[in-house]
Amino acid sequence: MVAVRTMTWEDVITFLPTEVRPVNMTTAAGERLPATLLTSDEASRLPSSRLGQRIGYDASGDWLVYGRDEVLVLWDEMTDETKWIRTPIETLLDIAPTNQRLIELIEQVNEGTLSPNELPRRRNVPSRKDLVEWLCAVRVGKLTFENVSDFAADALERTEDMHVDPRVVDGLRFLHGIDLQVEPGVYMHEKKELERWIDELQEMED
C-alpha cells in the first residue's frame, strides 16, 4: 500500500472558505459540536499555537486547531484544555479525500472509531489504479467486499452523466457486485480471486 499523504497547512489554507462557514464536528468522546471555519485570509493572519494552526472556533470561543498528521483539536487558550476532534478535515472543508485517505477513513468506520455520517461527501472520480487499490485493501483486510461494492455504486451514481473511461465504468460495474453471496456469509467471489482481478485491471492498456 502507498503511504497516505498527510494534508499540510498549505493544503488546508487553500481549501478554507472565502466567507466564514458553520460546520458540525464530533469529538473523540462522541460529543457533537457546532463550529465556524475561518476564511483563508483570517487564518493566514493568525499566529500558530503550540498545537498547530487556527482554522476556526466553536460556540464557546475555543479555537479549532489543525496540527501535524491531520490532527484536529479544540483548544481553550485560557485554560489550555483540549478536545480531540475525530471528524476528518476533508469533511469540515467539504473536499474530496485522496483514494488512500478514503480507504483509511473507511477502515476507521469499520473499526467503529468514525461514524459513516462523518465521511466526506465529496469523492473523486476513480481511476483504474484506484480500483486496484480497493482490491489490494480487501486482500490485506483494510476493506470488506461490501465497502468496495459501496464505493463502486457511489462512483457509478456520481459519474452517470460524466465522460469516464469505459474500462473504469466496466470495472465499477463488476465491483458493484463483488459482495454477492451464495448463502449468508459465503461470497460468490473468494478472496483468492483478488490477485486475478488485480492483474487484469493492471494489464489493461492505458
Side-chain angles (χ1 to χ4, degrees), residues 15-202:
F15 291 111
L16 283 172
T18 55
E19 297 182 359
V20 293
R21 185 172 73 219
V23 294
N24 289 307
M25 58 191 185
T26 304
T27 67
E31 183 182 8
R32 189 77 167 157
L33 297 173
T36 301
L37 287 182
L38 297 168
T39 67
S40 54
D41 287 341
E42 289 171 332
S44 65
R45 291 196 295 267
L46 290 172
S48 63
S49 73
R50 66 176 182 82
L51 296 172
Q53 301 283 348
R54 297 168 172 87
I55 65 169
Y57 51 88
D58 76 344
S60 63
D62 293 346
W63 289 108
L64 179 61
V65 176
Y66 182 78
R68 287 179 300 225
D69 300 323
E70 298 185 335
V71 172
L72 285 164
V73 180
L74 200 58
W75 176 50
D76 185 331
E77 191 171 10
M78 301 298 294
T79 65
D80 204 33
E81 294 180 353
T82 58
K83 291 181 179 179
W84 299 95
I85 302 300
R86 76 183 190 194
T87 303
I89 184 66
E90 294 92 345
T91 300
L92 295 182
L93 297 179
D94 195 25
I95 59 175
T98 64
N99 193 53
Q100 283 295 323
R101 172 67 168 161
L102 179 60
I103 291 172
E104 178 188 80
L105 294 177
I106 294 296
E107 188 178 10
Q108 291 177 33
V109 171
N110 292 343
E111 293 169 349
T113 57
L114 187 69
S115 68
N117 62 11
E118 291 177 89
L119 290 171
R121 292 187 301 273
R122 295 185 184 273
R123 302 282 174 87
N124 291 314
V125 175
S127 64
R128 283 185 293 110
K129 179 182 177 184
D130 293 335
L131 307 190
V132 169
E133 289 176 351
W134 296 350
L135 291 175
C136 288
V138 173
R139 184 179 58 188
V140 298
K142 288 181 176 290
L143 294 180
T144 66
F145 282 138
E146 288 78 11
N147 293 149
V148 171
S149 177
D150 289 345
F151 281 180
D154 178 80
L156 286 168
E157 182 178 353
R158 290 171 184 268
T159 60
E160 186 175 1
D161 298 322
M162 298 172 59
H163 177 69
V164 181
D165 184 339
R167 293 161 297 183
V168 171
V169 174
D170 288 343
L172 289 172
R173 287 174 178 156
F174 170 73
L175 293 181
H176 184 24
I178 199 174
D179 62 339
L180 293 176
Q181 298 183 27
V182 293
E183 60 182 79
V186 180
Y187 292 94
M188 180 179 296
H189 305 291
E190 299 179 354
K191 278 193 175 183
K192 63 184 179 182
E193 294 182 68
L194 292 178
E195 291 293 342
R196 175 172 58 80
W197 297 333
I198 290 169
D199 289 343
E200 288 179 1
L201 283 167
Q202 290 176 328

